[in-house]
Amino acid sequence: AGEPRSAGGVGDGWELVSASGLRRVYRLLCHVAYCDHELHPAERALLERYRLRFGIDAREAAQLEEEGKRKQIRLGRHTQEQHM
């Protein structure tokens, strides 16, 4: 529980989401991880696993994390992206 599912798993659809959609999802994950204004080691490890799975480089991930710290963020309107 709480870990990325393997590709092709039941209910998994990340491969159907565009690269920009994956970045929005990652930003949302960062937003949730920072909701208590702290990033715990387990949250950092989980974000790192998603970063690698989504193919996001470390520099861009740092930028998305900063954006994720904002009070409001938006997710795309595509069904696969919202399902994630």
Side-chain angles (χ1 to χ4, degrees):
E3 295 205 16
R5 294 180 223 153
S6 62
V10 175
D12 200 11
W14 71 271
E15 67 282 353
L16 301 174
V17 177
S18 68
S20 59
L22 291 174
R23 281 150 182 74
R24 284 190 295 272
V25 170
Y26 184 81
R27 187 182 303 117
L28 178 64
L29 292 171
C30 294
H31 182 73
V32 171
Y34 280 101
C35 71
D36 61 356
H37 306 288
E38 295 182 52
L39 187 64
H40 301 279
E43 293 169 325
R44 164 57 58 211
L46 186 62
L47 286 176
E48 180 65 8
R49 286 193 295 273
Y50 275 106
R51 180 187 76 77
L52 294 171
R53 181 173 186 181
F54 291 170
I56 300 171
D57 69 46
R59 190 180 70 180
E60 184 174 18
Q63 179 182 353
L64 293 169
E65 287 180 32
E66 286 301 314
E67 293 171 8
K69 291 178 186 179
R70 297 179 187 162
K71 283 190 171 193
Q72 291 186 330
I73 59 171
R74 293 183 51 148
L75 196 60
R77 62 178 177 238
H78 298 287
T79 304
Q80 294 91 352
E81 190 176 324
Q82 292 180 2
H83 175 71
M84 293 179 68

